[in-house]
Amino acid sequence: MALMNEPTAPYHSAQDALRVLETVARQSTGITDTQLARETGLGTDRLTALLRMLRREGYVEQITDGAYVAGASLSRLGSAHGRDEALREKLQHTLDRLRDSVGAAVYISRYIDGEVHVTQYAEGPATPAVNEWVDFRSSAHASAVGKSLLGQLDLNGRRDHLSRHKMARLTSRTITNERVLLSRLDAQPPTVPVLDLQEYAVGTVCAAVPITAGSSVGCLALSLPVEHAHRLRQAAQTLNRGAAPVLLSLAI
């Protein structure tokens, strides 16, 4: 299935971070930031920000002489044994931190075998998850998650999905016309968060950003009670800035 792929800022950050990790991993005795800058071609400010993120995520560690070596998280995700569990734990830790950062429930969703799947999420007493009153697999036309995932497919992929799932009217704001939905998906810039303004459920607003890694279609999303709708766009921007660690975990 072809992808409509315009790299986003988190994608570029994840790609640069992978270059740094690959360079660190080649040096078992450690590598300095000066050497890293020379070998990766990254500028000082860019490299400093990436190393800060990689240290926070446990992918690199600094030893006594200041050089960088591979961290525990990289070792766990890089191992074939127990990788799935390690990845799930790592993603959950990242989601929990994002939930606290954006002040909203957050979700990872994937498009797997032609269906929408919410694979992990983080909620809390002050950040409740959206009530799945209609199965997310059959409501892609109405949710931010679904529209973000559909938006990453080609036209045939979108039409195939909609041919298998009737576009039911879930609220007065739900788009039920296929031509209108396809037109909006086509006009949606990949680098701009997809919004759901009470289209899936009355009382809830959502936003989603793509986290496509390779041929795998995915997105990172958040939901807020409608009384917090004024925070949606800013929260979505914060979510987008925090997507790089998620992409990186999926790519390792």
Side-chain angles (χ1 to χ4, degrees):
M1 184 176 291
L3 303 180
M4 300 187 67
N5 200 6
E6 180 178 320
T8 58
Y11 173 88
H12 286 303
S13 293
Q15 288 295 102
D16 287 347
L18 278 174
R19 286 165 58 196
V20 173
L21 284 180
E22 289 166 356
T23 306
V24 170
R26 288 197 299 267
Q27 303 290 336
S28 58
T29 58
I31 183 170
T32 66
D33 50 5
T34 302
Q35 289 174 292
L36 276 170
R38 184 168 60 248
E39 293 196 26
T40 62
L42 295 168
T44 301
D45 291 345
R46 179 69 165 163
L47 180 59
T48 299
L50 289 170
L51 286 170
R52 187 183 305 119
M53 184 266 282
L54 292 171
R55 288 182 66 188
R56 185 186 69 228
E57 297 294 327
Y59 290 126
V60 301
E61 298 173 3
Q62 259 187 310
I63 53 181
T64 51
D65 64 356
Y68 291 90
V69 295
S73 292
L74 183 60
S75 299
R76 289 195 69 196
L77 289 184
S79 171
H81 177 69
R83 184 187 184 280
D84 289 346
E85 181 182 354
L87 176 59
R88 187 168 186 84
E89 289 177 1
K90 184 62 183 167
L91 289 174
Q92 192 62 50
H93 177 74
T94 302
L95 287 178
D96 289 345
R97 190 173 62 245
L98 277 172
R99 173 201 60 205
D100 297 338
S101 176
V102 302
V106 294
Y107 315 77
I108 293 178
S109 300
R110 311 293 290 278
Y111 196 74
I112 305 170
D113 297 330
E115 300 294 350
V116 172
H117 294 271
V118 176
T119 54
Q120 281 179 258
Y121 64 95
E123 63 172 343
T127 54
V130 65
N131 175 35
E132 189 180 354
W133 76 285
V134 175
D135 193 319
F136 289 137
R137 290 175 297 181
S138 60
S139 56
H141 65 291
S143 69
V145 160
K147 288 186 289 182
S148 179
L149 295 176
L150 291 178
Q152 296 173 62
L153 306 180
D154 61 15
L155 181 57
N156 288 336
R158 296 171 186 172
R159 283 178 169 163
D160 171 72
H161 183 93
L162 296 175
S163 73
R164 292 182 284 108
H165 296 285
K166 177 179 170 57
M167 294 174 60
R169 186 175 297 281
L170 306 184
T171 77
S172 63
R173 294 173 175 263
T174 306
I175 299 172
T176 56
N177 182 292
E178 180 175 318
R179 181 181 57 80
V180 173
L181 178 65
L182 291 175
S183 176
R184 292 197 182 179
L185 290 176
D186 194 48
Q188 173 75 29
T191 54
V192 176
V194 177
L195 303 182
D196 157 18
L197 305 176
Q198 300 190 87
E199 296 169 56
Y200 171 77
V202 173
T204 301
V205 295
C206 305
V209 296
I211 51 168
T212 302
S215 61
S216 175
V217 172
C219 72
L220 194 59
L222 65 86
S223 66
L224 288 167
V226 69
E227 56 266 28
H228 290 253
H230 61 282
R231 294 202 295 114
L232 184 62
R233 292 185 187 278
Q234 183 176 355
Q237 291 171 0
T238 302
L239 186 74
N240 195 34
R241 289 195 296 271
V246 177
L247 265 169
L248 185 58
S249 297
L250 293 172
I252 291 175

